[in-house]
Amino acid sequence: MNTSVFALAFLLQIYCQCNCQNVTRPNIVMVMSDAFDGRLSFDPGSKVVQLPYINYLRQLGSTFLNAYTNSPICCPSRAAMWSGQFVHLTQSWNNFKGLDANATTWMDLLEKNGYLTKMIGKLDYISGSHTVSNRVEAWTRDVQFLLRQEGRPVSELVGNKSTVRIMKKDWQNTDKATQWIHETAASSHLPFALYLGLNLPHPYQTESLGPTAGGSTFRTSPYWLTKVSSELISIPKWLPMAAMHPVDYYSTVTKNCSGVFTEEEVKSIRAFYYAMCAEADAMLGRVISALRDTGLLSNTVIMFTADHGELAMEHRQFYKMSMFEGSSHVPLLIMGPGLMSGLQVKQPVSLVDVYPTVLDLAGISAVGNLSGHSLLPLLSKSSTFSKNQHPHWVLSEYHGCNVNASTYMLRRGRWKYITYADGTSVPPQLFDLTLDKEELHNVVLKFPDVQAQLEKLLRNIVDYPKVSTAVHVYNKKAFGAWRSSLGTNYSQVIANLRWHVDWQKDVLANEGAIDNWLNGTLA
């Protein structure tokens, strides 16, 4: 064989290997929204708003009926998803404390193993982001004061029946993603991985409250409101304030939801939230259409999920930061070659399962200890793995603002067990989700044996009192360092954060409460 023939044979072999690799290694596309209630991705929740592209994934792919965030707030949740590790392992305690900038994500591993990769839009998993207010509120949650930290939730109608693009930044990022699919992915001989992060349906900043305001405005147009079935919008039941769990009471007050709301106000907020979900669904549709138009859809695994949900006035709260279903239950839908269609998976799963699932899809061996487990055995038509490999529980934890105790949630079967701090200083909660879907009846005293079993399981997973103590230590050190960095400007800066209205009512008492906290014990 002469040199030219040998070289041609070698190149053909390389070409065949590349083609075979592309066939066996699917493209991977993830669209991750913010604050999307997972219960809207299946019945009966899916009936309240038209979500055609989520419905498309549901029909041609698999829907996880019990998917949860590992922490119901942006940065810690995404840190868990990108790293495949629980929050107490990443030590992403709040929206300021995420992963180190050099942390290895599953996208990094895909790139190292021959994938063409692209990340567009909201990432939000690296330390250092979010407002000063957000981090200070998290650090000082054990201080003995109760200050409203958010704007009162409101709805705002903009545009008309032809106004489609409300969240312009998300639409711009969606355009970038579809352009990348058409111009880069379609012409590449490599398998590709694309991530698109959306802000929707996260509520918008309430601009009238100034530059430090949080997101308490639910904004949409008449166009998107036509996608919502008004007659199906439920008005959630609320416990009286006096009957609330102490942590839920704290959350309700700090979220500025302790005042009077009419049924019309609550229904409007919920309708606008659902309309915002419909707008996010349309962005997912643009990505699906781009894959179909370029002929890439048949060899692409599409995943849709969210970092957490949105309470939308359930339990007299909006936002997240809660273990109630509206906040902690996320959508997770997966469609792709070799995966079953029309499947509804009851197995409890969480966002840490994304990491090993993606690596499994790409044929990459996981490195290090992961908290999650691959979901492919639950989805694959030809899986040789046991479908019982995945544990029948999920863990979520929360250590950030608007909640005055570290919170741990264990979901197993019909039960949701929530415990706090050291496990004894704050009363735990137990809900039977089969009989009490609205989570209004804490039955922890009624079922002591169930509590004992779940408490034992939880402590086998994580030494949560030890974690709570570590968070206490972190909060004091982080706040102390921040205060020292401000010098003589401290009093002015802290008085003008999001809680400024309540703070100004008694500045000396509030500063004194912080001093007492800093000078007290760490526990």
Side-chain angles (χ1 to χ4, degrees):
M1 182 181 295
N2 61 40
T3 304
S4 60
V5 173
F6 179 82
L8 179 61
F10 180 75
L11 289 174
L12 284 172
Q13 183 180 12
I14 295 282
Y15 176 78
C16 290
Q17 286 176 347
C18 289
N19 275 357
C20 290
Q21 185 183 58
N22 283 350
V23 170
T24 58
R25 302 177 78 196
N27 309 311
I28 299 169
V29 172
M30 171 184 275
V31 177
M32 186 175 208
S33 68
D34 193 317
F36 202 111
D37 184 345
R39 298 170 300 175
L40 298 177
S41 64
F42 52 86
D43 293 337
S46 62
K47 290 181 168 60
V48 74
V49 56
Q50 297 173 30
L51 303 171
Y53 298 102
I54 286 178
N55 192 46
Y56 176 85
L57 294 185
R58 182 170 60 161
Q59 292 176 349
L60 297 183
S62 297
T63 307
F64 287 87
L65 303 179
N66 295 295
Y68 288 88
T69 180
N70 298 109
S71 187
I73 196 169
C74 307
C75 185
S77 171
R78 293 166 189 266
M81 187 275 291
W82 283 115
S83 69
Q85 293 191 314
F86 289 137
V87 170
H88 61 271
L89 299 177
T90 65
Q91 296 186 3
S92 177
W93 303 131
N94 53 52
N95 267 348
F96 179 69
K97 179 73 165 59
L99 298 182
D100 294 335
N102 61 352
T104 300
T105 68
W106 51 260
M107 189 67 87
D108 294 327
L109 292 178
L110 289 179
E111 185 174 3
K112 289 178 181 178
N113 284 272
Y115 270 74
L116 178 69
T117 63
K118 186 67 173 180
M119 299 165 72
I120 298 172
K122 185 169 186 176
L123 298 176
D124 199 12
Y125 66 94
I126 299 295
S127 290
S129 61
H130 289 268
T131 65
V132 173
S133 286
N134 196 280
R135 68 193 70 159
V136 173
E137 291 158 9
W139 293 333
T140 59
R141 62 186 191 163
D142 290 326
V143 176
Q144 293 301 303
F145 53 42
L146 192 56
L147 308 173
R148 289 173 294 172
Q149 300 170 1
E150 308 286 352
R152 177 187 168 93
V154 294
S155 56
E156 180 185 358
L157 189 65
V158 297
N160 53 47
K161 288 188 177 180
S162 63
T163 306
V164 175
R165 295 195 168 203
I166 312 301
M167 172 49 82
K168 294 182 179 179
K169 184 176 181 181
D170 277 354
W171 281 110
Q172 290 168 358
N173 286 327
T174 301
D175 290 342
K176 290 178 183 177
T178 57
Q179 183 180 6
W180 187 84
I181 291 171
H182 280 279
E183 297 180 0
T184 304
S187 61
S188 174
H189 296 297
L190 297 173
F192 66 86
L194 170 66
Y195 169 90
L196 172 62
L198 304 177
N199 285 285
L200 278 178
H202 189 292
Y204 294 79
Q205 181 179 352
T206 305
E207 296 170 357
S208 62
L209 299 178
T212 64
S216 59
T217 296
F218 293 81
R219 180 183 300 151
T220 194
S221 71
Y223 176 87
W224 294 112
L225 279 177
T226 63
K227 312 299 180 183
V228 180
S229 298
S230 179
E231 70 280 3
L232 297 180
I233 298 174
S234 63
I235 304 298
K237 297 176 182 177
W238 292 348
L239 292 174
M241 291 286 290
M244 279 185 171
H245 185 277
V247 172
D248 298 329
Y249 181 93
Y250 177 91
S251 297
T252 293
V253 173
T254 59
K255 290 178 180 179
N256 204 355
C257 290
S258 58
V260 176
F261 288 85
T262 65
E263 283 197 4
E264 289 76 16
E265 283 182 295
V266 172
K267 188 171 183 179
S268 177
I269 289 170
R270 291 173 70 76
F272 278 52
Y273 170 68
Y274 296 143
M276 292 160 68
C277 290
E279 187 178 357
D281 177 77
M283 297 173 191
L284 169 65
R286 288 288 306 276
V287 173
I288 294 173
S289 296
L291 293 169
R292 183 188 61 233
D293 295 344
T294 53
L296 296 168
L297 187 60
S298 62
N299 193 39
T300 299
V301 172
I302 302 175
M303 306 174 70
F304 176 76
T305 190
D307 55 353
H308 50 74
E310 163 64 54
L311 287 164
M313 302 312 292
E314 292 183 11
H315 301 278
R316 202 186 184 108
Q317 297 180 38
F318 79 110
Y319 247 7
K320 54 273 187 176
M321 304 124 168
S322 167
M323 294 304 172
F324 289 127
E325 288 292 284
S327 167
S328 64
H329 200 141
V330 298
L332 182 58
L333 300 99
I334 304 178
M335 181 190 89
L339 304 181
M340 287 186 278
S341 59
L343 182 67
Q344 292 192 329
V345 183
K346 295 181 179 179
Q347 166 76 50
V349 300
S350 63
L351 291 178
V352 289
D353 296 324
V354 168
Y355 189 114
T357 301
V358 168
L359 295 189
D360 207 355
L361 285 166
I364 300 170
S365 298
V367 178
N369 295 322
L370 296 178
S371 303
H373 297 75
S374 175
L375 302 174
L376 284 197
L378 302 171
L379 305 178
S380 178
K381 297 175 182 176
S382 57
S383 175
T384 58
F385 299 101
S386 168
K387 297 186 185 301
N388 293 321
Q389 274 188 324
H390 199 290
H392 289 274
W393 52 263
V394 293
L395 171 70
S396 188
E397 54 190 290
Y398 185 70
H399 310 282
C401 58
N402 293 108
V403 175
N404 59 342
S406 285
T407 306
Y408 307 85
M409 184 272 280
L410 190 67
R411 171 72 200 276
R412 182 181 183 184
R414 67 194 297 170
W415 301 106
K416 177 187 285 188
Y417 180 55
I418 308 172
T419 190
Y420 303 87
D422 57 5
T424 58
S425 59
V426 181
Q429 293 179 287
L430 179 68
F431 297 103
D432 182 342
L433 296 186
T434 301
L435 300 178
D436 181 24
K437 295 186 183 301
E438 294 179 298
E439 299 171 283
L440 295 173
H441 304 284
N442 179 13
V443 295
V444 70
L445 298 179
K446 191 175 180 180
F447 295 98
D449 291 345
V450 174
Q451 183 202 0
Q453 293 170 9
L454 295 176
E455 176 72 17
K456 181 179 179 181
L457 174 58
L458 178 59
R459 287 181 182 256
N460 285 336
I461 299 167
V462 54
D463 184 353
Y464 73 84
K466 183 178 179 181
V467 173
S468 297
T469 298
V471 177
H472 279 296
V473 173
Y474 158 79
N475 284 340
K476 287 193 175 185
K477 287 183 176 178
F479 180 84
W482 174 76
R483 186 168 78 164
S484 297
S485 72
L486 295 175
T488 58
N489 292 325
Y490 163 70
S491 292
Q492 181 180 357
V493 172
I494 199 167
N496 288 284
L497 299 180
R498 286 193 298 199
W499 53 32
H500 62 93
V501 174
D502 284 353
W503 184 278
Q504 300 290 355
K505 293 176 181 178
D506 198 337
V507 173
L508 293 179
N510 291 324
E511 286 200 18
I514 289 180
D515 291 338
N516 290 337
W517 164 67
L518 284 175
N519 296 327
T521 59
L522 292 175

